[in-house]
Amino acid sequence: MPANWSYVIAAYGIAAAALFGYWRHLARRARALTARPGAVVPHRTPRRTPS
Amino acid sequence: MTRVLGWLAALGLLAGVAAGFGYAPEEAVQGNVQRIMYLHVPSVLTAYLAFGLVLVGSIGYLATRRPLWDRLASSAAEIGVLFTAITIVSGSIWGKPTWGTWWTWDARLTSTAVLLLVYVGYLMLRGLVDEPEARGRYAAVVGILGAVNIPIVHFSVKWWRALHQPSTILGPEPSPLDPAIGLALFVNWIAFTLLFAYFLSRRIEIARLEET
């Protein structure tokens, strides 16, 4: 029974590259959109500052 | 919430790799190449989940015309395409040492390729229509019709003579999997579901920002 590790590494490597690439794409897109002038960024609670 | 999902997904993926490569034993017939299953099966289950949400979002949009349903459908479709592509590529790599070929026009493989093309078409259609209401409406129709392909993909191995093995999980009979292999598969399935939830949460937020 051959080990066939090269196939396992190729499958996991390609999947990891695709998932990481998509994650980076989302992060870049979100950064670009929130950096626009006048962009509304919801769901952020402002941190309280001591008075 | 999104950040928590991201960390949970990262931890889940680490646990999945540990379970798939450390805990699960080497399979008796195929050897180590069977470990591709911990990537291949969770990917296709995640794709089913994604396209199921496209169906829900599409019906919701046609019924209410509220943009949040369209955002859910379009975001889930994009991520579903990613996981379907991973399923096809990992399956092809697994097929070479076990079947002796990268690709064959087997019912399961062909129907999965059609599934991918349908949702790539869905995304292309969205890119062609500028008016948001019309875009949402046309896409919703394709999103509903495209979902017909999900049971075809899943049951193709029962309905037609196929080279691809029958369903090991989600089948009518009790799973024949070794408990350790089953547990590793389950851990990876949870990890992929968490990763999907994280991607979906981020993608929906981006779709909302794109509309403002």
Side-chain angles (χ1 to χ4, degrees):
Chain A
M1 184 167 48
N4 284 322
W5 276 113
S6 56
Y7 291 100
V8 180
I9 292 164
Y12 277 85
I14 290 169
L19 293 172
F20 182 71
Y22 187 67
W23 174 70
R24 274 192 61 175
H25 161 74
L26 289 181
R28 280 184 185 170
R29 186 83 187 118
R31 255 200 314 274
L33 287 166
T34 48
R36 287 180 310 179
V40 182
V41 185
H43 312 310
R44 296 272 160 85
T45 312
R47 203 172 276 179
R48 276 194 190 164
T49 49
S51 52
Chain B
M1 180 64 186
T2 303
R3 188 169 286 233
V4 173
L5 273 174
W7 281 111
L8 286 175
L11 288 173
L13 289 171
L14 282 175
V17 169
F21 287 87
Y23 176 70
E26 185 177 341
E27 207 264 344
V29 178
Q30 294 185 27
N32 284 311
V33 80
Q34 173 273 335
R35 294 183 200 276
I36 294 177
M37 185 179 80
Y38 308 122
L39 167 68
H40 181 71
V41 175
S43 295
V44 77
L45 294 178
T46 309
Y48 287 166
L49 172 66
F51 297 141
L53 284 179
V54 176
L55 174 67
V56 171
S58 299
I59 293 171
Y61 185 73
L62 287 183
T64 66
R65 299 296 157 99
R66 293 181 67 191
L68 68 95
W69 290 111
D70 187 44
R71 275 180 230 140
L72 170 68
S74 62
S75 303
E78 188 175 292
I79 304 164
V81 163
L82 174 71
F83 280 100
T84 309
I86 290 173
T87 302
I88 290 174
V89 171
S90 61
S92 177
I93 294 171
W94 192 4
K96 181 62 181 164
T98 50
W99 297 341
T101 181
W102 298 102
W103 183 264
T104 176
W105 294 103
D106 160 278
R108 171 61 71 81
L109 276 68
T110 308
S111 57
T112 309
V114 170
L115 184 75
L116 177 70
L117 291 176
V118 165
Y119 286 95
V120 167
Y122 171 95
L123 295 174
M124 287 173 73
L125 173 71
R126 295 189 66 86
L128 290 173
V129 185
D130 288 331
E131 206 276 304
E133 205 277 330
R135 181 175 58 223
R137 195 155 30 90
Y138 299 157
V141 172
V142 178
I144 292 167
L145 293 177
V148 173
N149 211 4
I150 301 170
I152 295 176
V153 171
H154 187 69
F155 293 110
S156 57
V157 284
K158 281 182 80 80
W159 293 342
W160 296 288
R161 233 168 54 160
L163 182 61
H164 195 284
Q165 68 174 64
S167 292
T168 312
I169 52 169
L170 300 181
E173 296 86 23
S175 173
L177 281 180
D178 176 275
I181 290 177
L183 180 65
L185 190 59
F186 180 73
V187 171
N188 278 285
W189 173 56
I190 296 291
F192 272 59
T193 305
L194 286 169
L195 184 64
F196 169 73
Y198 169 69
F199 280 162
L200 186 68
S201 172
R202 291 205 77 168
R203 186 65 189 81
I204 287 175
E205 181 56 23
I206 287 169
R208 200 199 55 73
L209 284 167
E210 283 169 343
E211 289 167 15
T212 56

